Amino acid sequence: MKLAERFLLDALAYLLCAAACLCFVVLKLVSSPYGRHLSPRSGFRLPARAAWAVQELPSLAVPLFVCAGAAADRLQRWPNSILLAMFLVHYVQRCLIFPFLIRGGKPMPLHLCVLAFMFCTYNGYLQSRYLSQYAVYTDDWVTDPRFLTGFVLWLIGMLINIHSDHILRNLRKPGETEYKIPRGGLFEYISAANYFGEVVEWCGYALASWSIQGGAFALFSFCFLFTRAQHHHHCIS
């Protein structure tokens, strides 16, 4: 049973890699409007705060359920615990803090929220089940250059992402609705600094975990966010 599930987790990771490549191609051919780029004819939409909290929730709830529902033997080791904590810290911020800081965000189409919810459920299970039950690291992995470099990249990426979101939230004064080009931080060099930070964050996580599961998540994040950032850049150019 254990061996069968380990093969399943590897298969799910490779499937996520395939989905990432497909997502990249599809979004290059057919852009997926969001935020300020939404069409008035985008169908039923959810309030921004509720949509963000709901769609990100599985990435927090599923790992907690997975770890509580079975003996998470591997989490007795520091590398596994730290890696899972890195994953959860991001989603605590994304699910429990970020949505409630949104100022007048654009409503989100229901179908995009549902797709994000499904992805977070899938990935939340993949990452947490692998780290809590199957990932094998020696105790000195936390001093390995790959882990240390990955952890630093993860931390830098998360800080870039949070700071960039802060800049975006404070672009307009109360009552203003027109689009403004963000200034400050990495926005001086990159038009979608918030997406860049998240890609760096998950690439760091993948390096620190040194696993196909972490690598698949980083690849999907890159393929999805790169195409979204590119679309955004073209729209404001």
Side-chain angles (χ1 to χ4, degrees), residues 170-213:
N170 291 279
L171 272 179
R172 291 182 290 272
K173 297 178 181 179
E176 293 182 338
T177 57
E178 74 277 8
Y179 177 73
K180 292 186 176 181
I181 296 177
R183 299 295 184 190
L186 282 186
F187 282 112
E188 297 295 330
Y189 310 99
I190 305 171
S191 58
N194 50 332
Y195 296 150
F196 174 77
E198 190 162 350
V199 169
V200 170
E201 184 179 355
W202 294 126
C203 285
Y205 168 83
L207 180 60
S209 71
W210 203 250
S211 66
I212 183 58
Q213 285 74 18

Side-chain angles (χ1 to χ4, degrees), residues 148-158 197 200-205 207:
L148 294 174
T149 303
F151 182 85
V152 170
L153 285 173
W154 169 82
L155 182 59
I156 291 173
M158 186 174 67
V200 170
E201 184 179 355
W202 294 126
C203 285
Y205 168 83
L207 180 60

Side-chain angles (χ1 to χ4, degrees), residues 12-30:
L12 290 175
Y14 286 114
L15 182 61
L16 186 57
C17 290
C21 297
L22 178 62
C23 176
F24 184 84
V25 173
V26 170
L27 291 180
K28 290 287 284 184
L29 297 174
V30 182

Side-chain angles (χ1 to χ4, degrees), residues 4-236:
E5 186 178 19
R6 175 57 197 271
F7 283 139
L8 173 63
L9 292 173
D10 287 347
L12 290 175
Y14 286 114
L15 182 61
L16 186 57
C17 290
C21 297
L22 178 62
C23 176
F24 184 84
V25 173
V26 170
L27 291 180
K28 290 287 284 184
L29 297 174
V30 182
S31 62
S32 177
Y34 63 97
R36 64 180 291 266
H37 308 301
L38 274 176
S39 166
R41 300 185 300 275
S42 58
F44 184 76
R45 291 183 282 181
L46 300 173
R49 288 181 177 179
W52 272 104
V54 169
Q55 73 179 27
E56 304 289 317
L57 181 61
S59 289
L60 185 59
V62 170
L64 295 178
F65 178 80
V66 165
C67 295
D73 299 332
R74 296 293 178 186
L75 294 183
Q76 296 178 16
R77 297 193 175 271
W78 278 109
N80 301 63
S81 297
I82 294 173
L83 287 164
L84 184 58
M86 290 162 64
F87 184 83
L88 292 176
V89 163
H90 172 89
Y91 284 104
V92 165
Q93 195 278 331
R94 211 66 183 162
C95 177
L96 302 181
I97 299 175
F98 172 77
F100 303 100
L101 296 176
I102 293 175
R103 297 180 180 179
K106 297 287 186 180
M108 180 180 297
L110 177 61
H111 73 280
L112 292 183
C113 182
V114 171
L115 288 173
F117 183 92
M118 293 171 59
F119 170 78
C120 288
T121 302
Y122 183 108
N123 190 54
Y125 170 78
L126 178 63
Q127 304 302 324
S128 60
R129 188 66 178 172
Y130 174 72
L131 289 172
S132 64
Q133 297 293 332
Y134 297 100
V136 178
Y137 300 101
T138 58
D139 289 335
D140 62 354
W141 177 250
V142 293
T143 61
D144 188 282
R146 290 165 291 183
F147 180 88
L148 294 174
T149 303
F151 182 85
V152 170
L153 285 173
W154 169 82
L155 182 59
I156 291 173
M158 186 174 67
L159 293 176
I160 290 172
N161 182 250
I162 292 173
H163 181 248
S164 299
D165 282 337
H166 172 76
I167 291 175
L168 291 172
R169 277 195 303 271
N170 291 279
L171 272 179
R172 291 182 290 272
K173 297 178 181 179
E176 293 182 338
T177 57
E178 74 277 8
Y179 177 73
K180 292 186 176 181
I181 296 177
R183 299 295 184 190
L186 282 186
F187 282 112
E188 297 295 330
Y189 310 99
I190 305 171
S191 58
N194 50 332
Y195 296 150
F196 174 77
E198 190 162 350
V199 169
V200 170
E201 184 179 355
W202 294 126
C203 285
Y205 168 83
L207 180 60
S209 71
W210 203 250
S211 66
I212 183 58
Q213 285 74 18
F217 182 25
L219 177 63
F220 190 93
S221 298
F222 171 80
C223 290
F224 179 71
L225 294 176
F226 176 79
T227 51
R228 175 165 283 191
Q230 194 173 46
H231 173 67
H232 172 71
H233 181 76
H234 289 326
C235 287
I236 65 175

